[in-house]
């Protein structure tokens, strides 16, 4: 199958939706691809059905009326030539020929290994939040959340609203850094308001800075958690542990297309164009910044793709959210103690059962792949890769096609269209 469009947008989260609305409303032929069955991304997951979030409802309604086409369950696996993406949809595939591409592939959680982190009942912070939103029975369950950043508060609020009991919120950032970050929020009123509202909802939940998971304990599943809290050890019996340390951008597709990456983010100009002509990046690809950044950059990229002028107010908002992203990155940087939690027998790569000890003697990710099979499993290093970078300082590798596990048939470009008069008859 073949598709042709003026603008292809990869990712239907807030950034992708905003870009699609502006480009499609300007009369361009816009195609939006996303691996999920509904638009909204992870942050607005399920909002297409429930409509509980007013901001999500506003953008999803506008997207539905914009004229942009949405292909759910679509995974970009390769780019055989400039202006072409190979896409896999279940058992079928297609080649998308496009004039411009806007990448809005979002981010995923950063996991750092500790003893017991592979026990059933131990999940990522936002992963646990998503499961609760999708119906995980949490009422009456005891939950510990550990990690860093605003995700902890958002997940705690969701769990509490569904009847779960949040026993503790453990923020790994040192107290001075945490409060320094909080004091900067006056520059970002919307973030300050969000934080204040969530903090008020969680006033009864114990929370600590300078706190992190030492180990998760249990026989067949999680039974308890050991925490370091301001230098003292605490032991909590619980049913679920949400533990992750901020977010990392999904850089596989930008790297596949040849976009330049520096300090974990895609480099762009003021038009959000990458070093690859006619390829733009928005949202978390520019550094973790949340919904505000995704919407602002998505709107900006959509206007640029449509050849429309960018209002100064939007350019000013982009500078503001970029400033917040810089402060958040400093706050969320994992502390040194987290790099020393894993024991030699602690698994680093869960897909291939690679323990920390197997990486002895490896000096980079390539050697870890070749000699220990790190990152060779189904997730293709999306979990263990960022962990290895944090633990050992190894830089990310170049991405080769396919950037996701794919069927052999999906890697072939469809043949040129053949006129009926030239087809043979059986």
């Amino acid at each position: 199958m073949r598709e042709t469009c003026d603008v292809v947008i990869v990712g239907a989260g807030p950034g992708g939706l905003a870009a699609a609305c502006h480009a499609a409303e300007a009369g361009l032929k816009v195609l939006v691809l996303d691996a999920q069955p509904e638009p909204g991304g992870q942050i607005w997951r399920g909002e297409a059905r429930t409509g509980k979030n007013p901001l999500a409802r506003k953008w999803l309604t506008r997207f539905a009326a914009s004229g942009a086409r949405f292909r759910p369950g679509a995974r970009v696996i390769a780019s055989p030539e400039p202006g072409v993406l190979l896409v896999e949809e279940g058992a079928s595939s297609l080649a998308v020929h496009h004039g411009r591409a806007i990448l809005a592939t979002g981010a995923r959680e950063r996991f750092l290994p500790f003893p017991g982190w592979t026990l059933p009942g131990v999940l990522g912070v936002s992963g646990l939040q998503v499961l609760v939103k999708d119906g995980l029975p949490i009422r009456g369950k005891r939950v510990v959340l550990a990690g860093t950043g605003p995700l902890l508060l958002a997940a705690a609020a969701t769990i509490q609203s569904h009847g779960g009991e949040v026993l503790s919120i453990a923020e790994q950032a040192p107290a001075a850094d945490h409060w320094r970050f909080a004091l900067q929020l006056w520059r970002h009123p919307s973030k300050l308001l969000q934080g204040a509202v969530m903090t008020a909802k969680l006033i009864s939940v114990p929370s600590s800075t300078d706190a992190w998971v030492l180990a998760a304990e249990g026989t067949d599943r999680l039974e308890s958690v050991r925490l370091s809290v301001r230098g003292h050890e605490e032991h909590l019996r619980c049913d679920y542990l949400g533990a992750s340390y901020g977010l990392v951008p999904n850089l596989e597709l930008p790297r596949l297309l040849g976009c330049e990456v520096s300090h974990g983010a895609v480099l762009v100009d003021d038009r959000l164009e990458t070093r690859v002509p006619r390829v733009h990046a928005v949202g978390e690809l520019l550094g973790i910044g949340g919904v505000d950044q995704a919407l602002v950059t998505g709107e900006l990229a959509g206007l640029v793709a449509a050849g429309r002028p960018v209002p100064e107010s939007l350019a000013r908002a982009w500078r503001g959210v970029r400033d917040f992203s810089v402060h958040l990155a400093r706050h969320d940087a994992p502390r040194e103690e987290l790099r020393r939690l894993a024991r030699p027998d602690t698994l680093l790569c869960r897909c291939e059962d690679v323990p920390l000890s197997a990486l002895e003697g490896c000096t980079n990710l390539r050697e870890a792949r070749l000699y220990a099979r790190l990152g060779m499993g189904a997730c293709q290093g999306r979990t263990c890769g960022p962990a290895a970078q944090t633990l050992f300082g190894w830089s990310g590798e170049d991405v080769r096609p396919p950037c996701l596990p794919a069927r052999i048939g999906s890697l072939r470009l469809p043949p040129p269209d053949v006129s009926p008069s030239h087809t043979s008859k059986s």
Side-chain angles (χ1 to χ4, degrees), residues 336-356:
E336 188 61 34
E337 291 91 336
L338 302 176
R339 297 179 170 90
R340 300 193 294 267
L341 293 177
R343 300 168 183 160
D345 62 346
T346 302
L347 292 184
L348 180 55
C349 176
R350 303 174 65 158
C351 296
E352 293 293 311
D353 292 336
V354 180
L356 187 66

Side-chain angles (χ1 to χ4, degrees), residues 125-181:
V125 174
S126 64
L128 178 57
Q129 182 187 27
V130 166
L131 288 175
V132 170
K133 287 181 177 180
D134 283 354
L136 176 71
I138 201 72
R139 183 168 298 280
K141 301 295 185 180
R142 299 161 299 172
V143 181
V144 174
L145 298 175
T148 192
L151 273 177
L152 291 172
L153 297 181
T158 298
I159 292 165
Q160 187 171 265
S161 70
H162 284 76
E165 180 186 0
V166 182
L167 301 179
S168 178
I169 299 175
E171 164 62 64
Q172 63 95 33
D177 291 351
H178 183 68
W179 293 114
R180 189 179 300 116
F181 170 74

Side-chain angles (χ1 to χ4, degrees), residues 123-406:
L123 303 98
V125 174
S126 64
L128 178 57
Q129 182 187 27
V130 166
L131 288 175
V132 170
K133 287 181 177 180
D134 283 354
L136 176 71
I138 201 72
R139 183 168 298 280
K141 301 295 185 180
R142 299 161 299 172
V143 181
V144 174
L145 298 175
T148 192
L151 273 177
L152 291 172
L153 297 181
T158 298
I159 292 165
Q160 187 171 265
S161 70
H162 284 76
E165 180 186 0
V166 182
L167 301 179
S168 178
I169 299 175
E171 164 62 64
Q172 63 95 33
D177 291 351
H178 183 68
W179 293 114
R180 189 179 300 116
F181 170 74
L183 290 173
Q184 292 287 335
L185 291 181
W186 69 268
R187 304 173 187 270
H188 312 281
S190 64
K191 300 290 186 184
L192 182 61
L193 178 60
Q194 292 170 17
V197 170
M198 282 193 291
T199 300
K201 291 180 179 178
L202 301 169
I203 192 67
S204 62
V205 177
S207 61
S208 305
T209 55
D210 277 305
W212 59 91
V213 176
L214 294 173
E217 299 173 334
T219 304
D220 298 319
R221 63 164 288 113
L222 177 70
E223 296 172 5
S224 62
V225 173
R226 285 195 295 115
L227 299 171
S228 173
V229 181
R230 293 187 291 275
H232 300 284
E233 187 170 314
E234 293 187 4
H235 190 272
L236 295 174
R237 297 191 64 81
C238 60
D239 301 297
Y240 288 102
L241 166 64
S244 58
Y245 295 89
L247 301 172
V248 291
N250 291 320
L251 296 172
E252 289 77 19
L253 182 55
R255 281 189 165 127
L256 180 72
L257 298 182
C259 303
E260 187 174 349
V261 174
S262 178
H263 297 95
V266 179
L267 294 181
V268 295
D269 59 20
D270 289 341
R271 292 162 50 87
L272 299 185
E273 190 168 15
T274 70
R275 301 295 169 85
V276 180
R278 304 177 74 79
V279 175
H280 303 259
V282 304
E284 309 289 45
L285 294 180
L286 310 178
I288 305 304
V291 174
D292 292 345
Q293 176 174 281
L295 289 173
V296 166
T297 55
E299 289 193 76
L300 199 157
L303 289 170
V304 169
R308 297 289 178 86
V310 176
E312 175 55 30
S313 59
L314 192 60
R316 188 166 55 250
W318 163 222
R319 292 191 291 270
V321 295
R322 183 165 46 188
D323 179 61
F324 173 78
S325 176
V326 170
H327 288 301
L328 183 62
R330 291 172 184 162
H331 174 271
D332 286 359
R335 59 191 299 149
E336 188 61 34
E337 291 91 336
L338 302 176
R339 297 179 170 90
R340 300 193 294 267
L341 293 177
R343 300 168 183 160
D345 62 346
T346 302
L347 292 184
L348 180 55
C349 176
R350 303 174 65 158
C351 296
E352 293 293 311
D353 292 336
V354 180
L356 187 66
S357 59
L359 302 180
E360 186 175 350
C362 296
T363 60
N364 54 50
L365 279 173
R366 178 174 174 77
E367 290 183 0
R369 279 179 178 268
L370 289 173
Y371 304 138
R373 292 191 59 81
L374 183 85
M376 295 290 283
C379 88
Q380 292 290 283
R382 281 163 173 75
T383 297
C384 59
Q389 291 176 41
T390 301
L391 295 182
F392 308 118
W394 296 341
S395 60
E397 291 186 296
D398 292 336
V399 177
R400 299 178 182 180
C403 59
L404 292 170

